[in-house]
Amino acid sequence: MYYTFDLINNFNIFNNINFSYNILIFILFSLFLAISFDITYGELPTKIHPVVMIGSVISFFKIRFIKIKNRWSGLFLTVATCIVSSVSVIILVYLSSFNAFIFFILFTLILSSTFSIKMLLDTAINVETDLKEDIDKARQAVSYLVSRNTDELTEEHIVSATIESLTENITDSYISPVFYFMICSLAGIFIHSYLLLFILILIPFNYRIFNTLDAMVGYKTDELIDIGFVPAKIDDILNYIPSRIAGLFVVLSAFCLRFNYKNSYKILKRDARNCPSPNSGFTMASAAGALDIQLIKLDTYILGDNNKNIEINDISSAVKLSKLTILLFTLAIILFIIILYVIL
């Protein structure tokens, strides 16, 4: 039997609660479990990871559309990838809707695949560990995080590159997908249909599609400058608000951790726009200010003041800052959504 319109009420604990609160409980519970799964186990296996599937779809269409030597190629690639990937997820979720519990588990796993907390933090920690053992090993490790040549990076530049990668990716690895998932969940106040759940899972999933497109083709090389234009612009637009929110939460986290929060806010305002990307500088600059260090990508940007020499242990401090930023943002947006559900 197909239960789409009564999915949540199949959970006994949700009986006798009006529709909006059913939706709210489902959203909060699924987010909590998705975060818990990611923190505990990390990424899903490659063979079943939705983002790997997205990458395969992108590669399939890229070969075909890159032959179009103008920016329409990027639009066609984006539309084709979104349609094929989204339809695949809709079919999968639809087939699971014969049972509320299975639907919920699948919904939660797909949601968890749209962000990556454990991998984000562990990668930085691993570079710190490697750097304490062997600088060449650390150079190799950091080469997977940044696009620059790492063969001759000094210890200071390795630390800087690691902190840059960590703090920049706070936005697209967590803040943005959760931001859009929770903000769009407000539709549950006005749309009284459990079909909303199908739409809701597509919101963070499509964010991940756009982000993956940007990661794969959004470069200004001779090969990709045309096909990557549209994906890069869409990614910039989607991260515009979340990146600025994330930057402010880094400042708040610096205050809670007794880091230099005043300098964090100062550097955020002063240096956030120094980067070529319109969004990446907001979390990097506020982190640089909080740690009283200078983050440098040669010939590209300088963030923060050289108040003290950058050290290996600054990676651990950046990890603490990132963890608290993620936690505070999560608590704040959940509280915001709950208040709106109660008021409206």
Side-chain angles (χ1 to χ4, degrees):
M1 183 176 179
Y2 182 58
Y3 290 101
T4 299
F5 295 97
D6 199 31
L7 281 168
I8 297 176
N9 285 325
N10 280 283
F11 293 100
N12 291 330
I13 59 173
F14 295 147
N15 285 344
N16 302 318
I17 302 176
N18 69 39
F19 178 88
S20 293
Y21 289 133
N22 267 331
I23 288 289
L24 176 62
I25 292 170
F26 184 97
I27 289 167
L28 295 181
F29 198 32
S30 62
L31 179 62
F32 172 77
L33 288 184
I35 293 172
S36 299
F37 179 86
D38 181 79
I39 292 174
T40 304
Y41 299 105
E43 302 298 312
L44 291 168
T46 301
K47 291 183 179 180
I48 62 171
H49 203 301
V51 176
V52 176
M53 182 268 288
I54 293 170
S56 298
V57 174
I58 293 171
S59 297
F60 176 83
F61 285 115
K62 175 190 169 185
I63 295 173
R64 287 148 181 82
F65 292 132
I66 202 168
K67 298 174 184 177
I68 304 172
K69 299 300 181 181
N70 57 56
R71 291 175 179 175
W72 282 102
S73 59
L75 179 61
F76 294 150
L77 174 64
T78 301
V79 172
T81 301
C82 287
I83 291 175
V84 172
S85 300
S86 296
V87 169
S88 299
V89 167
I90 290 173
I91 292 173
L92 186 61
V93 173
Y94 177 87
L95 292 175
S96 74
S97 64
F98 71 92
N99 179 277
F101 181 75
I102 293 175
F103 177 92
F104 177 76
I105 294 299
L106 184 62
F107 185 99
T108 300
L109 289 176
I110 294 174
L111 179 60
S112 74
S113 73
T114 64
F115 49 79
S116 183
I117 304 170
K118 182 176 174 60
M119 178 178 284
L120 176 68
L121 300 174
D122 284 354
T123 302
I125 293 170
N126 290 340
V127 173
E128 180 181 18
T129 301
D130 290 342
L131 191 54
K132 290 177 180 179
E133 297 175 358
D134 181 3
I135 191 169
D136 288 326
K137 189 176 179 181
R139 285 170 178 153
Q140 180 66 28
V142 83
S143 70
Y144 299 116
L145 305 181
V146 296
S147 57
R148 72 199 74 170
N149 187 340
T150 63
D151 292 343
E152 297 182 0
L153 289 184
T154 64
E155 179 180 296
E156 291 77 11
H157 285 139
I158 291 173
V159 173
S160 178
T162 303
I163 294 174
E164 291 165 50
S165 177
L166 169 65
T167 55
E168 176 185 0
N169 285 305
I170 291 173
T171 300
D172 54 11
S173 288
Y174 182 76
I175 300 293
S176 285
V178 172
F179 172 80
Y180 286 112
F181 174 72
M182 294 300 288
I183 292 300
C184 291
S185 72
L186 291 174
I189 298 173
F190 310 103
I191 302 175
H192 289 188
S193 169
Y194 289 116
L195 291 176
L196 171 66
L197 297 177
F198 288 82
I199 299 171
L200 190 57
I201 195 58
L202 288 177
I203 299 302
F205 183 75
N206 271 270
Y207 169 80
R208 186 52 59 205
I209 291 174
F210 295 128
N211 187 250
T212 305
L213 277 162
D214 179 59
M216 291 182 67
V217 301
Y219 300 97
K220 295 180 179 179
T221 62
D222 292 338
E223 179 193 20
L224 301 176
I225 191 166
D226 286 328
I227 199 170
F229 179 81
V230 171
K233 290 303 178 184
I234 293 175
D235 187 71
D236 287 343
I237 292 169
L238 290 177
N239 284 321
Y240 188 87
I241 293 175
S243 64
R244 286 148 178 80
I245 293 173
L248 292 175
F249 270 94
V250 171
V251 177
L252 178 60
S253 299
F255 171 77
C256 295
L257 291 170
R258 298 186 178 180
F259 291 165
N260 195 340
Y261 70 94
K262 292 182 179 178
N263 193 48
S264 178
Y265 184 62
K266 169 190 168 185
I267 301 301
L268 169 65
K269 292 194 299 180
R270 192 192 73 190
D271 293 350
R273 292 177 176 81
N274 287 357
C275 301
S277 165
N279 303 316
S280 62
F282 285 84
T283 45
M284 288 195 293
S286 52
L291 301 177
D292 279 320
I293 58 175
Q294 199 168 64
L295 300 176
I296 302 174
K297 182 176 181 180
L298 297 177
D299 302 321
T300 305
Y301 57 72
I302 297 176
L303 305 174
D305 297 321
N306 190 20
N307 294 332
K308 72 178 186 67
N309 292 331
I310 193 167
E311 301 172 346
I312 296 177
N313 291 337
D314 286 322
I315 296 178
S316 293
S317 297
V319 169
K320 290 179 183 178
L321 191 63
S322 300
K323 284 182 179 178
L324 190 56
T325 297
I326 289 169
L327 175 62
L328 292 180
F329 169 78
T330 304
L331 294 176
I333 198 166
I334 286 176
L335 181 61
F336 174 73
I337 297 299
I338 290 175
I339 289 173
L340 288 182
Y341 262 83
V342 171
I343 292 175
L344 299 177

